Amino acid sequence: MNYITKKGALQKACLSIVILFFLQLKGFSQVQNVPVNLRVDNLICEYKINPISVDAANPRLSWKLITTDRNIEQTAYEIRVGSNAVSLTKAKDIIWTSGKVLSDQSVHVYYGGPTLTSRQKCYWQVRVWNNKNQVSPWSMVNFWKMGLLKPTDWTAKWIQNTYQSDTTGGPSPMFRKAFILDHKIRAAHLYITAHGVFEAQINGKRVGNDYFTPGWTSYNKRLQYQVYDVTSLLKKGDNATGVTLGDGWYRGYTYNRRKDVYGKKLALLYQLEVVYTNGKRQIISSDKSWRVAYGPIRSSSFFDGEVYDARKEKAGWSEPTYRNLTWDTVKTDETIKDNLIATSGPTVKKHEKFLPLKVFNTPEGDRVVDFGQNLVGWVQFKLKAKAGDTIKLFHAEVLDQKGNFYTKNLRTAKQEITYVFKDDSTTTFEPHFTFQGFRFLKVVGYKGPLDSTNLAAYALYSDMAQTGKFSTSNPLVNQLQHNIQWGQKGNFIDVPTDCPQRDERMGWTGDAQAFCRTATFNMDVAGFFTKWLKDLSADQHKDGAVPYVIPNVLDSVSAAASGWSDVATIAPWNIYLAYGDKQVLQQQYESMKAWVGYIQQHSRNYLWDTGNHFGDWLFYAGTNYEDGAALTDKNLIAQAFYAYSTQLLIKAGKVLGRSDDVQKYTLLLYNIKKAFLAEYVTPNGRMISGTQTSYVLALNFDMLPENLRESAAKRLVHNIEDYDEHITTGFLGTPYICHVLSRFGHTDIAYDLLMKESYPSWLYPVKNGATTIWERWDGIKPDGSFEDPEMNSFNHYAYGAIGDWMYRVIAGINTDEGDPGFHSILIAPRPGGKLSSAQAELETLYGKVKSAWSIDNGTFTLDVIVPPNTTATVLLPSVTDQITEGGVDINTVKDITDIKKTGHDAQMSIGSGTYHFVYTMKTYGKHNN
Ligand code: RAM
């Protein structure tokens, strides 16, 4: 062979390797070159795509099967994990292979290889076999990277500003360091966290697109660090980096203007790890060699906004050419680093952009911009003024009755941005360490035109993928769904908060438990709640009491309230249901037990009737009916939630195989219910509080014996009718009222409540122009005046808990509790409320579930999507004999099995795939179409 042919052969070999690799990427298997209608995609590790800061010892891997065939189930899988992205086949690169595992598990499969070490990067792929004897090609290769697992991995030192004036509400310190990298860089990762909140730059560029990092946790016990791949920001030669810190949650103002909750001094921990192409490593860490100065951010606060003086900018401060001769030295701090944890949940990112709907002058003469949506975030402007000119931006959720800018309900929170121009060039500015809850912006100090070319509002919230969609033929209900979703966006800012505008913004546990299940339908909140629940455990008192707010920034007695502290059991259970995540139950089990243990300790004869409780917070206490008629006894509520928490603990115990506990708590539950009946229910089933919430809780938590349930449900219906079909429940009854009505055959009444447009109702705020859920049923009263400004948030999510019923009952998408995470699905739509159609979609860990129905002239059509590797039970309502699927009699469709009639419904089992059912409806219920 001469050289030419040798070269040709080599080229051919290379080409075939490239083609093979390409085919593999495209989904063609190396073992069989025939494409099958089965692929694996959406590989996630610990709920994230290619995470780079994993600290789980055995990370969990999940994937989705992609196929258009029906009835597809996974029968086996094989995972391989290696150290090299391009070769997961060579023995030397393999870290672990699962081998072919006969299992239908495609979510939360534990990595089972050798112990993973700090910074280790693992590439992985998977292939699956299905019940049609097909094998998928190997999936694309994804990866995960381990974080810093041991405190000793941190060689960086905490550094602080030496200035005396470094106090809450003061200017933001900027830390800087210049350095030389003397080789070509292969990879560079920044490990960073702060006491306070930080924004980092390298060579003049912002690092990452996260905001308010390191996020809010119970800092003294758990402080997250973030990891960024900063390879592209660095270069061989001169480099520089800079980090600005703000007060954030660490020492910023919180409830009652308390400050310095976690400490008085801001501090930075910074470790930049560079790997050169020659394999050598270099670490640039925060240490004594850094310099610090104050710059343009004169003060920043979540409540109050930001003061920014552009004249104090230090141009080029994070670039190597900048001279920091006048900058001060820093002091190091030997704080131990044993509270550092990787970031497991989603970070806050910038999302939707809103342009001004209109700019107008109010009767009081203010210049106001309407962005059309009550949102949480900030305004970005692009304006030109003169050096030294000051512009002020004020933020409000609503205008008052006369159309004036209304900020009384912010209480002491200023929500104010002050910006001082440095020269007459056009400046683009957005704040840094603050967020505002607003729809309206008041601009002071700028006379030029304001419009969509120079103003935009951005929503900032935890970066959770939208998983759910829900809509109907009724635009008001659609707006309600919109408001629920925006209530969620505005209040999921690293932790679930209650109000994002006034001087509160805390993780109220009652609100979180009420809304949690709805939240799981709208967005992927698995990581969000898993992280927050760890803070709950961290802040839970030794005696099991759960603080009113998590992370706890209140005093030590602000703990243990029924319906609030029960988030300790309710949230883990909801996350388990939505994502089939047993680990969250495991993680929270001791906390769940401790909470029930606390109540046990504070009960006499199984009756919990002591302590401070918020009760059915913000129930209807109007004047149209006897005042206070809807007031539910707080101890009755406490006893009901005592039972519910115990019930959920039993369920968790069953899932985790804790049979001793199951036995013990089953007996406890029996006694709790007995005490409840003796204390709060007459022998005929009348409750001592004749309220909607009272009956709702008793029925939803199975407090009443079977023989009293039907009549109790009727009493509930009568109560609702007494109020002319208005809802009177507060935070605790609201999430369950429609579910209870549906469960006992009164879906028509549930629809009455939903469709009611007058106060109190869900649609009353919608009719009043709401774009989010309000804290109170009557934030704006029927006469147009406002509720008490001391507590009147227009962006709260608790009443949005109806969303759960909308998804689960109107559209009818549910998971089987015995096989959760939508592995076994229930599709049981319940039409009503004069709706002619409703549709919902939910992106589950297995793929998309859809239920979309419409009624046209008595013909009911239902379109269903069941994702691969799941099965569904379908309940078709109000059927007549002839049902078709895909145009043919369902009895002849081989993919539909176990067809039976249950009452007016037809029940059947289906496997994965797309289905189209049509039949003529029997009329039922007074609101049937
Ligand atoms: C107010 C808010 C909050 C609620 C507490 C008890 O701060 O309404 O949502 O949980 O009270």
Side-chain angles (χ1 to χ4, degrees):
M1 244 196 287
N2 64 25
Y3 171 74
I4 305 286
T5 37
K6 256 198 212 156
K7 196 176 157 204
L10 198 68
Q11 272 174 346
K12 258 192 193 162
C14 288
L15 192 68
S16 49
I17 289 171
V18 169
I19 289 174
L20 264 180
F21 181 62
F22 178 74
L23 286 176
Q24 199 184 343
L25 287 183
K26 280 290 183 205
F28 290 86
S29 163
Q30 286 182 5
V31 277
Q32 43 158 78
N33 280 330
V34 193
V36 288
N37 188 7
L38 179 68
R39 283 192 304 119
V40 188
D41 209 342
N42 295 82
L43 276 64
I44 53 170
C45 170
E46 291 295 328
Y47 291 107
K48 289 186 175 171
I49 302 167
N50 300 337
I52 58 171
S53 69
V54 175
D55 65 1
N58 293 299
R60 292 168 299 167
L61 308 173
S62 307
W63 56 87
K64 287 177 187 168
L65 275 63
I66 313 289
T67 174
T68 48
D69 286 347
R70 271 185 176 179
N71 255 326
I72 295 302
E73 284 174 41
Q74 177 187 297
T75 52
Y77 67 81
E78 184 177 358
I79 301 169
R80 59 189 185 200
V81 180
S83 55
N84 185 333
V86 272
S87 110
L88 282 173
T89 46
K90 285 200 199 117
K92 75 169 179 42
D93 298 323
I94 290 286
I95 298 171
W96 174 65
T97 55
S98 65
K100 183 175 175 183
V101 180
L102 297 182
S103 165
D104 67 351
Q105 194 181 349
S106 59
V107 304
H108 310 311
V109 176
Y110 282 100
Y111 159 80
T115 306
L116 297 165
T117 54
S118 294
R119 309 174 183 88
Q120 188 171 353
K121 191 165 183 182
C122 299
Y123 297 90
W124 68 290
Q125 60 180 171
V126 64
R127 64 173 168 170
V128 300
W129 286 258
N130 70 10
N131 52 340
K132 302 270 154 85
N133 281 325
Q134 292 170 317
V135 53
S136 76
W138 282 100
S139 70
M140 298 268 300
V141 176
N142 271 13
F143 66 84
W144 79 85
K145 190 172 187 302
M146 301 302 284
L148 299 183
L149 305 178
K150 303 183 299 296
T152 50
D153 290 326
W154 289 90
T155 48
K157 296 226 183 310
W158 279 105
I159 54 172
Q160 293 181 336
N161 184 351
T162 37
Y163 294 118
Q164 285 308 310
S165 55
D166 177 12
T167 51
T168 300
S172 275
M174 298 156 75
F175 294 84
R176 176 178 197 278
K177 159 109 186 146
F179 53 94
I180 296 168
L181 298 177
D182 43 23
H183 288 283
K184 210 169 157 215
I185 299 145
R186 179 191 296 157
H189 287 88
L190 171 61
Y191 299 83
I192 180 171
T193 187
H195 290 160
V197 281
F198 71 80
E199 250 190 54
Q201 297 187 4
I202 290 179
N203 293 329
K205 297 234 168 63
R206 193 183 198 278
V207 174
N209 56 357
D210 298 327
Y211 293 88
F212 316 138
T213 42
W216 192 9
T217 46
S218 177
Y219 290 136
N220 299 334
K221 300 150 207 157
R222 295 165 25 82
L223 173 61
Q224 296 186 134
Y225 61 87
Q226 276 76 40
V227 186
Y228 297 99
D229 183 338
V230 292
T231 317
S232 64
L233 298 182
L234 294 162
K235 55 186 190 307
K236 183 180 169 191
D238 288 329
N239 291 273
T241 185
V243 183
T244 311
L245 302 185
D247 293 347
W249 297 283
Y250 187 80
R251 69 169 192 189
Y253 293 108
T254 181
Y255 194 58
N256 273 338
R257 289 268 150 195
R258 210 178 143 209
K259 59 178 185 171
D260 303 335
V261 172
Y262 298 97
K264 284 186 186 250
K265 276 293 220 186
L266 301 182
L268 168 69
L269 187 67
Y270 183 107
Q271 189 161 310
L272 171 60
E273 302 194 351
V274 181
V275 182
Y276 293 120
T277 45
N278 65 5
K280 290 220 172 88
R281 306 168 70 86
Q282 187 173 341
I283 299 184
I284 287 88
S285 307
S286 43
D287 60 19
K288 276 236 154 86
S289 67
W290 286 55
R291 291 291 175 268
V292 63
Y294 288 137
I297 301 179
R298 306 315 295 164
S299 83
S300 71
S301 147
F302 286 143
F303 287 1
D304 296 338
E306 189 164 304
V307 177
Y308 189 95
D309 187 344
R311 294 169 305 183
K312 295 194 184 305
E313 279 173 358
K314 299 184 183 304
W317 71 286
S318 69
E319 287 169 36
T321 45
Y322 184 83
R323 294 284 157 256
N324 57 9
L325 300 174
T326 57
W327 287 42
D328 207 352
T329 52
V330 299
K331 40 177 201 193
T332 54
D333 171 16
E334 294 307 320
T335 310
I336 334 159
K337 297 169 200 119
D338 60 358
N339 62 342
L340 297 178
I341 49 163
T343 304
S344 57
T347 45
V348 172
K349 292 201 195 298
K350 212 191 254 182
H351 295 271
E352 293 87 342
K353 176 180 181 182
F354 292 87
L355 296 176
L357 268 193
K358 56 178 182 180
V359 182
F360 57 97
N361 287 325
T362 65
E364 281 176 356
D366 290 329
R367 198 150 174 240
V368 170
V369 182
D370 178 3
F371 286 100
Q373 173 63 48
N374 194 16
L375 63 103
V376 176
W378 58 48
V379 170
Q380 187 188 71
F381 65 72
K382 190 175 167 199
L383 297 173
K384 187 171 152 57
K386 288 203 300 297
D389 278 2
T390 300
I391 183 174
K392 277 183 183 281
L393 307 179
F394 300 86
H395 303 75
E397 296 187 287
V398 284
L399 301 177
D400 71 10
Q401 241 171 327
K402 295 187 181 133
N404 288 316
F405 198 71
Y406 181 82
T407 53
K408 279 208 186 75
N409 69 326
L410 305 179
R411 301 197 305 217
T412 71
K414 289 201 194 107
Q415 295 213 127
E416 183 182 323
I417 304 295
T418 303
Y419 182 89
V420 185
F421 289 85
K422 67 169 182 285
D423 54 30
D424 59 3
S425 61
T426 303
T427 311
T428 301
F429 174 79
E430 63 182 18
H432 302 80
F433 305 125
T434 183
F435 59 84
Q436 285 79 48
F438 68 103
R439 167 174 168 174
F440 298 96
L441 180 78
K442 179 169 103 180
V443 181
V444 174
Y446 185 82
K447 298 269 178 302
L450 293 171
D451 54 39
S452 55
T453 63
N454 54 20
L455 286 180
Y458 284 93
L460 278 94
Y461 51 89
S462 289
D463 194 29
M464 308 159 294
Q466 182 171 340
T467 49
K469 282 188 194 156
F470 174 90
S471 61
T472 68
S473 52
N474 182 327
L476 295 178
V477 175
N478 297 348
Q479 182 67 36
L480 173 64
Q481 166 64 10
H482 170 98
N483 296 0
I484 295 170
Q485 281 183 324
W486 276 93
Q488 181 162 351
K489 290 174 181 180
N491 285 290
F492 278 49
I493 302 197
D494 215 67
V495 304
T497 62
D498 65 327
C499 46
Q501 71 298 86
R502 71 175 178 232
D503 52 357
E504 206 161 325
R505 310 179 186 201
M506 298 182 291
W508 281 98
T509 47
D511 310 48
Q513 71 80 8
F515 188 66
C516 176
R517 184 112 192 233
T518 300
T520 65
F521 278 99
N522 288 326
M523 295 180 190
D524 173 4
V525 294
F528 180 87
F529 272 108
T530 305
K531 167 211 168 229
W532 185 70
L533 284 167
K534 286 185 185 164
D535 291 305
L536 183 149
S537 303
D539 280 349
Q540 192 167 7
H541 298 183
K542 280 209 171 59
D543 63 1
V546 176
Y548 300 160
V549 299
I550 299 291
N552 188 16
V553 290
L554 301 177
D555 56 22
S556 60
V557 293
S558 298
S562 63
W564 265 248
S565 303
D566 297 285
V567 76
T569 55
I570 295 170
W573 184 251
N574 283 335
I575 297 301
Y576 169 69
L577 289 182
Y579 306 102
D581 186 331
K582 272 191 203 171
Q583 192 172 286
V584 77
L585 291 183
Q586 200 130 29
Q587 170 194 306
Q588 296 305 123
Y589 191 68
E590 289 311 314
S591 152
M592 295 168 86
K593 260 172 94 165
W595 168 237
V596 170
Y598 173 91
I599 311 178
Q600 265 181 294
Q601 289 298 316
H602 291 78
S603 314
R604 280 171 298 128
N605 300 324
Y606 304 102
L607 199 65
W608 185 28
D609 57 359
T610 55
N612 175 50
H613 300 292
F614 298 105
D616 191 23
W617 193 244
L618 302 182
F619 65 93
Y620 168 75
T623 47
N624 291 353
Y625 303 93
E626 199 186 330
D627 263 1
L631 172 68
T632 309
D633 184 285
K634 287 184 181 174
N635 290 328
L636 179 157
I637 293 175
Q639 188 72 3
F641 273 94
Y642 181 15
Y644 190 43
S645 271
T646 308
Q647 176 67 73
L648 294 180
L649 179 56
I650 294 166
K651 287 184 178 187
K654 280 188 186 154
V655 173
L656 300 174
R658 313 279 175 109
S659 45
D660 287 359
D661 281 350
V662 172
Q663 224 178 345
K664 186 169 113 194
Y665 290 110
T666 304
L667 181 62
L668 175 65
L669 181 59
Y670 170 82
N671 285 315
I672 296 169
K673 289 187 181 175
K674 206 165 128 195
F676 180 87
L677 289 177
E679 191 75 10
Y680 301 117
V681 190
T682 67
N684 285 335
R686 184 183 295 275
M687 315 268 313
I688 62 139
S689 297
T691 62
Q692 293 176 13
T693 289
S694 174
Y695 286 102
V696 165
L697 297 184
L699 287 166
N700 198 59
F701 301 159
D702 296 327
M703 304 302 287
L704 306 176
E706 292 277 359
N707 63 328
L708 294 181
R709 292 182 185 173
E710 288 291 331
S711 59
K714 285 212 179 92
R715 288 180 208 270
L716 170 62
V717 170
H718 290 150
N719 182 302
I720 293 169
E721 284 167 353
D722 282 350
Y723 282 95
D724 194 17
E725 282 129 2
H726 286 91
I727 189 165
T728 65
T729 52
F731 282 19
L732 299 186
T734 299
Y736 310 118
I737 187 164
C738 286
H739 281 299
V740 165
L741 289 165
S742 288
R743 174 173 158 195
F744 291 95
H746 304 293
T747 297
D748 51 348
I749 306 290
Y751 269 111
D752 285 345
L753 290 179
L754 178 68
M755 296 299 176
K756 192 57 99 186
E757 295 176 15
S758 52
Y759 163 74
S761 69
W762 282 287
L763 295 186
Y764 168 76
V766 170
K767 290 286 276 186
N768 277 273
T771 57
T772 37
I773 299 292
W774 298 349
E775 178 174 24
R776 296 171 178 267
W777 291 122
D778 61 345
I780 299 172
K781 295 184 190 173
D783 69 5
S785 64
F786 288 121
E787 257 290 358
D788 182 359
E790 276 308 298
M791 225 182 68
N792 198 17
S793 151
F794 291 97
N795 200 350
H796 241 66
Y797 49 57
Y799 290 144
I802 183 64
D804 171 45
W805 183 80
M806 287 157 46
Y807 278 100
R808 284 205 280 149
V809 180
I810 298 184
I813 295 180
N814 210 346
T815 185
D816 181 346
E817 275 205 25
D819 185 15
F822 298 89
H823 188 234
S824 290
I825 299 163
L826 188 66
I827 302 284
R830 293 282 146 196
K834 297 197 171 69
L835 294 177
S836 57
S837 69
Q839 46 272 315
E841 284 181 20
L842 181 68
E843 191 62 38
T844 69
L845 287 179
Y846 298 93
K848 187 195 284 179
V849 180
K850 179 175 174 181
S851 169
W853 58 261
S854 63
I855 302 171
D856 184 11
N857 241 333
T859 302
F860 185 80
T861 307
L862 175 69
D863 286 294
V864 174
I865 298 178
V866 177
N869 204 26
T870 71
T871 55
T873 300
V874 178
L875 269 177
L876 298 174
S878 193
V879 294
T880 42
D881 288 341
Q882 183 70 30
I883 305 170
T884 65
E885 191 288 307
V888 297
D889 185 341
I890 51 167
N891 295 294
T892 65
V893 180
K894 70 171 182 359
D895 300 312
I896 303 177
T897 55
D898 306 326
I899 303 168
K900 55 180 174 246
K901 199 94 189 272
T902 55
H904 293 296
D905 297 343
Q907 185 182 323
M908 64 208 71
S909 302
I910 57 177
S912 67
T914 302
Y915 296 81
H916 179 71
F917 297 97
V918 180
Y919 60 92
T920 308
M921 277 188 119
K922 246 191 212 151
T923 49
Y924 75 101
K926 64 176 176 166
H927 290 280
N928 192 32
N929 290 267

